[in-house]
Amino acid sequence: QLHLVESGGGLVQPGGSLRLSCTVSGNTLDYYAIGWFRQAPGKEREGVSCMQSSGWTNYSESVKGRFTISRDSIQNTMYLQMDSLQSEDTAVYYCHADLLRAGVLIDFWGQGTQVTVSS
């Protein structure tokens, strides 16, 4: 029904920036919310940022002020701009989308992209 593919990950030095992209294919007319999650080795997946269809956004305390989520509805692409990156930001980042189908929220995930912050 929906296919998400992340890109833009890589190796960056502390204090650097990266922009992650997530292209979405499929019917997005019933889009409800989008977001970014990350998972470091040995840790549980955690939410980084989300955006509802209303435009409301939320960020985890650890990234607030440094990361920015955005969406291009025409190109069906979501972004995560990451600035002032720290070693603690190292993780696999996943894009996520919630679609409302028949009154039920359905989750879709990308395959993940590696972000490594190291000097």
Side-chain angles (χ1 to χ4, degrees):
Q1 301 179 57
L2 205 66
H3 186 57
L4 286 69
V5 179
E6 302 98 332
S7 63
L11 175 64
V12 64
Q13 293 184 327
S17 298
L18 284 174
R19 188 181 74 162
L20 305 182
S21 300
C22 178
T23 58
V24 182
S25 60
N27 189 350
T28 61
L29 294 178
D30 52 358
Y31 148 74
Y32 181 77
I34 57 172
W36 290 91
F37 292 74
R38 67 185 182 185
Q39 186 169 20
K43 297 184 178 180
E44 295 182 347
R45 186 174 299 184
E46 64 174 344
V48 176
S49 179
C50 66
M51 173 184 287
Q52 295 183 352
S53 58
S54 64
W56 178 86
T57 59
N58 188 42
Y59 298 89
S60 67
E61 289 296 324
S62 62
V63 307
K64 190 174 299 182
R66 300 187 297 117
F67 290 10
T68 304
I69 188 172
S70 62
R71 180 177 70 94
D72 185 334
S73 60
I74 302 299
Q75 299 296 323
N76 285 333
T77 303
M78 65 178 76
Y79 303 95
L80 183 67
Q81 177 67 42
M82 304 183 295
D83 298 319
S84 301
L85 284 163
Q86 306 166 6
S87 59
E88 293 78 10
D89 297 316
T90 297
V92 177
Y93 284 71
Y94 300 88
C95 60
H96 169 263
D98 277 331
L99 269 64
L100 187 62
R101 300 277 174 81
V104 179
L105 288 176
I106 304 175
D107 296 324
F108 295 91
W109 295 89
Q111 83 289 344
T113 185
Q114 177 70 49
V115 172
T116 302
V117 185
S118 177
S119 59

